Amino acid sequence: MLAETICSAASAAGLGIAAVTAYRKRFLTATRIAAYSLVPVGLVLTGVVEWVAGIAFKPSVWLGFGVLGLSWLLFMTTRAVERRSGTTRAKRKAARAAGRNEAVAPAASAPSLGAGGTAGPATAAKPQAQPKPKKKQEPAAGGDDFSDIEAILKKHGI
């Protein structure tokens, strides 16, 4: 009963403010204020205010909110444990990241767009360990020289 009275008073005050605003020739703003001020009366007439008041004072409703909070806490705990242990979600993410690394020249031993700072003595020793071709290779065709550049351009949609 008290909530309905408060909502009615708020609506009446809002309509009064809308009338003053309309008197000042600001009709669009006045209409918007009137629309907002009619919402509390509409909620009272539909029974929403009574329903909310009934929910707010029932212990079973608060117990339900507690159960929902507990389920959310358990869900978030399992997500945190899953991220730390590196199970399925992390493996899928790593596989997705490996699939995106397409900017590699056909004969290159490492990606041409590496993470930067990884080139060190260990990576410099790798190319020397590969067997060298016996024949002197002919210069590659024009398209093969720029294959890594083409891969970068395709990646960016150019």
Side-chain angles (χ1 to χ4, degrees):
M1 181 78 170
L2 180 64
E4 289 86 359
T5 306
I6 292 172
C7 289
S8 299
S11 291
L15 289 174
I17 293 170
V20 170
T21 306
Y23 180 75
R24 293 182 180 171
K25 308 257 188 234
R26 300 182 69 195
F27 297 111
L28 185 62
T29 305
T31 306
R32 190 172 294 132
I33 291 171
Y36 281 126
S37 65
L38 290 175
V39 169
V41 170
L43 291 175
V44 167
L45 292 175
T46 58
V48 172
V49 173
E50 184 179 331
W51 176 73
V52 170
I55 285 177
F57 300 115
K58 286 185 182 176
S60 61
V61 172
W62 287 105
L63 183 66
F65 282 124
V67 169
L68 287 174
L70 177 66
S71 69
W72 177 82
L73 182 69
L74 291 173
F75 178 71
M76 296 312 285
T77 303
T78 58
R79 293 276 309 251
V81 169
E82 182 181 52
R83 285 183 182 166
R84 257 190 196 192
S85 65
T87 57
T88 59
R89 183 174 290 243
K91 288 179 183 175
R92 285 190 300 223
K93 191 174 182 181
R96 215 177 308 126
R100 279 190 230 138
N101 217 359
E102 298 173 358
V104 178
S109 61
S112 57
L113 292 177
T118 57
T123 56
K126 269 189 176 180
Q128 293 173 356
Q130 293 179 354
K132 294 185 178 180
K134 292 178 181 144
K135 287 185 175 179
K136 192 173 185 180
Q137 291 183 347
E138 296 179 8
D144 293 337
D145 288 339
F146 300 106
S147 61
D148 55 342
I149 296 171
E150 288 177 7
I152 294 168
L153 293 174
K154 285 181 184 176
K155 181 179 177 184
H156 293 287
I158 298 174

